Each structure stands twice: as C-alpha cells, then as structure tokens.
Amino acid sequence: MKNETFTFGSEPFNEWLAKHPDVEKLTIKGHINTDNLEDIDEQLFESSIKTLEIGTVILKDENYGTASFDDYAFSFVDDYNTPPRLFKMLVNAQYSSVYSLSDDLILSSDGKVLVHIAETDTLQIPENVKTIGLYACACYNDLEEVCFPDGLQEIGAHAFEGCNNLEYVNLPDTVLTIGDSAFCDCYLSNFDLSNNLTEIPAHCFENNNLTSFELPHSVKAIRYGAFLGNPIIKITFNQGLEIIEGNVFPALCYAKFPASMKEIAVDFYYDKSNTNIKREIPYIEVDNDNPYFWTKKGTLYKKGSDELCLDAPFCCRTRHYKEIPQLVIPANLQPKSVILKWNPSFSSFQMSGYIRLLQDFVAEDEYERFDSMNWSVWDYDKINVGDRVYWVKVGYGQIGIVGSGVVTSEPYRSEDWSGKGRITYYVDFIPDVLLNPDTVPILTCEKLQSEIPDFEWSKGHSGLVLNDEQAQKLDTLWKDFLQQHDDLFQEKMQKKSNEQVYIQK
C-alpha cells in the first residue's frame, strides 16, 4: 500500500492529490483552514485514499486565528447540518489516529470506533463497535431509529445531536458512558438506558419531547441542563440518585427525591444566569429516610435545621392590569402586525408553562388581568410600542395562532434564550387572547397558508413584520375566527374548565 504524508499549508490539497494519484494511505498534519475543510473533505473521498492517519492537525480561522473543534461544529449543528467526514475524524483523534475510509462507513483501523455512517431512517451500528465518536451522527434529520449492538460501551459528545426525527432510543447494558449533548435537540419521547450508566451528562437530553422517564438505579448524578427544554412537570426519582445540578427541569411542578439524595442544586429547576425567564418553585417531597433533607408543605430544608435548600429570585407573579403603565403610541406611527413563532419542543418556554399561564388567567374572578411577557424578534428595527402581535405555535401537534396581543416595549438586546450565544433582540407584549391548541380550535397554519400564501407560517424566524396587505388579511381572518367560535370560548371561560381559554373583555 503506497503511503504518503501531506502537510496542510504547504500547497493546495487538490494540487498535491494530482501529483499523487495512486496513494492509498495518507498521513495528514499541519494547519487546516476551516474555510477549506469542506472542499478538502470532498477531494479526499474522491481520491484513491483508503486509510487516513491523523497527525498533529490544528484548525485555523482566517478571522480569529486558531479555531476550536466545538466552534467549528457549532456552525453546522446550529443549522441542523451534519459536519464534514474529515472533521469527524479530526475531532475523534483522541480515540484513534488511523481510520479506514469509505463513502458509507468510517471506522478506526481496529473497527472499534465509529466516526461516520451514511444517513438513513434506520441505522444499524456495526457489531464490533465499542465507541460511537463525537458528532458521528449529528443532525441526521431523516434518522428515526438506531439499532445499538450489545458490546457498545461509549457514545461520544454530540453523537446524535440535532436528529430531530429520532423519537426513541434503547441502549444496551454494556454502555457505560454518554457524552455531553449526545441526544440534544432530538425528538425523544421515551428512552431505555443502560443499567450500568452512572450519570446523565450535561445537556444530554436537552430540547426533546420527554414528559416522563425512568432512570436506572445505577445513575448517581444528573448534570447541568441534562433535561432542559423538556415538558417534564412531575417526576419521582429512583433510589440511587445522589446529585442533581442546575437548570435541569425548568418546567417542573412536583418532584420527589429518594433517601440516597445528597446534593440538590438550588437552581435545579431554573436558569440562574437568565433573569428574563420567570419560574415558580416546584412542590418538593423527599423520602423520610433521607439523612440530608426534609420537607414541609412542599418546601425543601436541610436536615436538622430550617435552612432553605431552594431559591426563587425569578418567581413568577401575575400583575393586575392597573400596575402596568398606560401605553403611549406615537401619533405618527401606524401599528404593524408582528408574527411571533413558538416551537414548544425547542423553546425555553414549554407547553407546560403555557398551560400554567392559562390556568392563572382562568382562575381569576375578573378577566381584566394581564401578564407581561417577552419574546425574541427578528425584525427588531421595524417594531414599535403598540404594534399588534400574533403568537403562532409551530412544530408538532396542532399548529397555528394560539394568541394575540400588543407590544409594550421598544426592542431590546438580551441574552439568547437558547444559550448558544447568538445576538438576540426581544420585545415585551401583553396578550389579549390565549387559546389552548390541544382542547379548543385555533386558526391553523394550513388555513393561514391558503389565505396568505406569500408568508411562511409553519417555520422561519420569530418576530417578522407583515406587509400592509398581509396584515389587513390576517386581521380580518382573526376577527372572523374569534367571532365564529365566540360562544364556545365564552362558555369555557365561564366554566373555568381545564380546557383553558382566555379572552380579554
């Protein structure tokens, strides 16, 4: 087998390949520019090279100098695109420095480390694989099922991140470790984990569709943000769990901890760093045999003292309408219509929080109550106080307009709700109509698309401003829809039923 070495930066890779058309084994080293990595990946897999050995390779960025592997991967994963195959080999050099290449499968030379497999709706991981590498199957948007082999021991960080059609995973008991964000941004509604797994790592199951789950008794720790972005309202933890870190269950209303529990982060149910997100304290119970904690009326204390174990500096409060300053709309401004997009599967505001918001409104004896909210907006330079907002639920289930309201602040810049560091602008708004899409009719995206076809209703950025013609059509559609269902909505408000609806009178 003809063996050669190529140093990035010495000459263009395609020119070097033209001089070495018969090379089968290649060792690479040097500084590779991130702007060229995709082209080099394509050239590599069009060549005769069958084996690649990774030497000392450093990622370089023309604007920022040295680039980190995570920053480079983020540029792909954030847009739900899988990173190049060459990058997967580079980032997994910690596991193996020599890889066998094919278009459909890339394994370490001993066959034990998988770094790439062709995307299909069902993946069969090869039997001899012990480790699924970092980013190996990231953003496989068509992936629905993975068959993991007995003998698999490790799943690397971000391995299945962004596989947003993956609804279930069943890990064999041979799996000992999972990496950070391994199943982040999927659509898991259930899982079966290895009975030899000792911890759930940071952000591992963030932004999925889990409403409940059962952890193996072997799990001793749940790390930061492991279940962030899931609509988990109530949970009882199995005996064996000892540690739970911050920002794990932001939708939680009730939790019961076992006798084995030793450490509970004061912010396990909210994001301490984000002062824009309000949270209520969940109701907590703990096993009577726990030597560290005790509870009274749902409040958690340290054993042997009255010291509180949880805090709630952002505890949600519903304000009476008289507490909100009167809106002053400049006379020379014509109010515009702003479309706020909401996908509960990925938003920091889950469906459970929305239902609690509706319950708060319905529970009151008078309907003249408001709760000021904030939302991200794309057209921040076009939006003003007094503009009309329409709140559109997208993603899965019943999708369409679930509410409307009015903008109450100028756009302002704040921390990105997703925690990914993007520049994000928000506006505050007060709703005047809120509907539960699971129990009452809504103005559907299908209807909106048929009536206003020149706007993308079911996907795209939040906070886009409609043109005048679109706004006029939408205003008529919304008024007609509310009038059509007025008797039903009024009936449910009067009954204050669980089929929540709120309309300002």
Side-chain angles (χ1 to χ4, degrees):
M1 177 180 291
K2 191 173 182 181
N3 189 0
E4 297 284 353
T5 298
F6 175 74
T7 302
F8 291 110
S10 60
E11 63 179 306
F13 186 58
N14 61 333
E15 294 181 9
W16 184 89
L17 283 174
K19 299 173 187 176
H20 302 80
D22 300 326
V23 64
E24 295 182 352
K25 181 178 180 180
L26 177 65
T27 300
I28 57 173
K29 60 182 181 179
H31 295 68
I32 184 170
N33 195 306
T34 55
D35 291 339
N36 300 329
L37 201 150
E38 287 184 85
D39 291 336
I40 294 172
D41 177 83
E42 184 176 347
Q43 295 159 12
L44 175 65
F45 282 87
E46 289 178 349
S47 72
S48 59
I49 297 168
K50 303 301 180 186
T51 304
L52 186 71
E53 182 171 354
I54 310 295
T56 302
V57 178
I58 298 174
L59 292 183
K60 299 291 290 184
D61 186 281
E62 289 185 352
N63 297 318
Y64 302 105
T66 301
S68 74
F69 286 118
D70 283 342
D71 286 344
Y72 179 79
F74 176 77
S75 66
F76 287 88
V77 174
D78 190 47
D79 292 325
Y80 292 96
N81 295 317
T82 189
R85 293 159 292 184
L86 175 57
F87 169 80
K88 294 181 185 181
M89 288 183 280
L90 294 174
V91 78
N92 283 289
Q94 58 182 299
Y95 294 118
S96 175
S97 60
V98 182
Y99 289 97
S100 300
L101 310 188
S102 74
D103 290 337
D104 297 333
L105 188 65
I106 302 176
L107 297 167
S108 59
S109 56
D110 61 5
K112 294 181 179 179
V113 181
L114 170 71
V115 300
H116 172 76
I117 187 170
E119 179 179 0
T120 61
D121 57 0
T122 301
L123 286 184
Q124 179 69 58
I125 307 299
E127 289 295 326
N128 59 336
V129 168
K130 303 297 182 185
T131 299
I132 298 175
L134 284 69
Y135 297 99
C137 304
C139 299
Y140 282 9
N141 297 313
D142 295 330
L143 181 60
E144 298 177 359
E145 181 182 1
V146 184
C147 300
F148 298 99
D150 289 333
L152 181 68
Q153 297 176 357
E154 181 177 0
I155 297 175
H158 310 279
F160 293 92
E161 180 175 356
C163 297
N164 51 26
N165 279 304
L166 184 61
E167 297 187 27
Y168 171 72
V169 293
N170 183 6
L171 301 184
D173 287 340
T174 53
V175 173
L176 303 178
T177 60
I178 305 176
D180 291 355
S181 302
F183 295 96
C184 174
D185 287 339
C186 296
Y187 194 59
L188 298 179
S189 58
N190 196 11
F191 57 57
D192 286 306
L193 301 182
S194 164
N195 287 310
N196 290 300
L197 201 63
T198 58
E199 74 172 38
I200 308 298
H203 305 286
C204 185
F205 295 101
E206 180 179 343
N207 290 340
N208 277 271
N209 198 38
L210 297 164
T211 57
S212 63
F213 59 82
E214 184 173 350
L215 290 179
H217 292 279
S218 59
V219 173
K220 297 185 180 301
I222 301 177
R223 301 303 181 186
Y224 185 88
F227 293 96
L228 176 66
N230 286 272
I232 299 169
I233 299 174
K234 178 179 179 181
I235 190 167
T236 298
F237 294 100
N238 290 341
Q239 180 68 15
L241 186 65
E242 298 179 356
I243 300 169
I244 184 168
E245 296 185 351
N247 200 19
V248 177
F249 298 107
L252 201 65
C253 296
Y254 169 88
K256 183 172 183 179
F257 292 107
S260 58
M261 204 70 194
K262 295 180 180 179
E263 299 178 23
I264 304 172
V266 296
D267 58 337
F268 87 93
Y269 61 96
Y270 73 94
D271 182 0
K272 184 188 293 187
S273 67
N274 192 342
T275 58
N276 292 312
I277 298 199
K278 313 294 184 182
R279 274 297 290 118
E280 296 175 346
I281 303 176
Y283 190 98
I284 304 295
E285 291 184 343
V286 66
D287 191 290
N288 291 332
D289 294 331
N290 188 289
Y292 301 97
F293 305 102
W294 69 284
T295 58
K296 180 179 180 181
K297 294 182 179 180
T299 302
L300 188 68
Y301 300 91
K302 286 190 175 180
K303 203 86 165 187
S305 74
D306 291 331
E307 182 181 350
L308 291 172
C309 295
L310 303 181
D311 59 8
F314 316 130
C315 188
C316 184
R317 294 287 183 266
T318 302
R319 298 185 293 174
H320 194 276
Y321 70 101
K322 292 180 180 179
E323 298 175 359
I324 297 180
Q326 184 176 0
L327 298 180
V328 178
I329 304 173
N332 61 334
L333 289 181
Q334 179 66 33
K336 296 179 287 295
S337 293
V338 183
I339 306 302
L340 305 181
K341 300 283 181 64
W342 172 43
N343 189 334
S345 299
F346 301 111
S347 172
S348 58
F349 185 62
Q350 273 80 53
M351 196 66 191
S352 57
Y354 182 74
I355 297 302
R356 282 198 299 272
L357 181 66
L358 281 166
Q359 289 171 336
D360 288 341
F361 283 126
V362 173
E364 298 302 325
D365 292 331
E366 57 182 317
Y367 291 108
E368 294 177 320
R369 290 178 64 89
F370 303 90
D371 193 293
S372 183
M373 306 181 66
N374 66 353
W375 213 259
S376 61
V377 290
W378 183 261
D379 288 339
Y380 62 90
D381 54 344
K382 302 177 183 178
I383 299 173
N384 297 287
V385 173
D387 285 343
R388 190 84 176 128
V389 299
Y390 291 89
W391 202 2
V392 181
K393 177 180 175 289
V394 298
Y396 299 91
Q398 185 80 324
I399 60 174
I401 296 179
V402 296
S404 59
V406 62
V407 174
T408 61
S409 75
E410 296 295 331
Y412 55 91
R413 182 173 171 176
S414 188
E415 293 181 8
D416 176 22
W417 64 268
S418 70
K420 294 183 176 180
R422 295 172 293 202
I423 297 175
T424 305
Y425 286 83
Y426 297 85
V427 294
D428 295 336
F429 73 98
I430 298 175
D432 53 22
V433 175
L434 294 173
L435 305 172
N436 183 347
D438 294 332
T439 60
V440 297
I442 64 174
L443 184 53
T444 66
C445 284
E446 182 179 4
K447 176 69 172 177
L448 292 166
Q449 201 65 62
S450 67
E451 297 292 332
I452 310 175
D454 52 346
F455 185 86
E456 184 59 67
W457 292 98
S458 60
K459 59 184 178 181
H461 294 295
S462 175
L464 295 176
V465 174
L466 298 182
N467 62 39
D468 291 342
E469 181 180 357
Q470 293 168 334
Q472 185 174 1
K473 287 182 180 179
L474 180 57
D475 183 63
T476 300
L477 283 171
W478 186 237
K479 287 179 179 177
D480 291 344
F481 170 83
L482 294 179
Q483 182 63 39
Q484 178 185 355
H485 299 285
D486 183 65
D487 290 343
L488 173 64
F489 294 159
Q490 297 299 336
E491 176 186 357
K492 291 188 180 298
M493 283 194 297
Q494 291 169 7
K495 289 182 178 179
K496 298 183 181 180
S497 69
N498 289 328
E499 298 178 87
Q500 295 88 2
V501 57
Y502 168 77
I503 300 179
Q504 173 193 341
K505 288 189 175 182

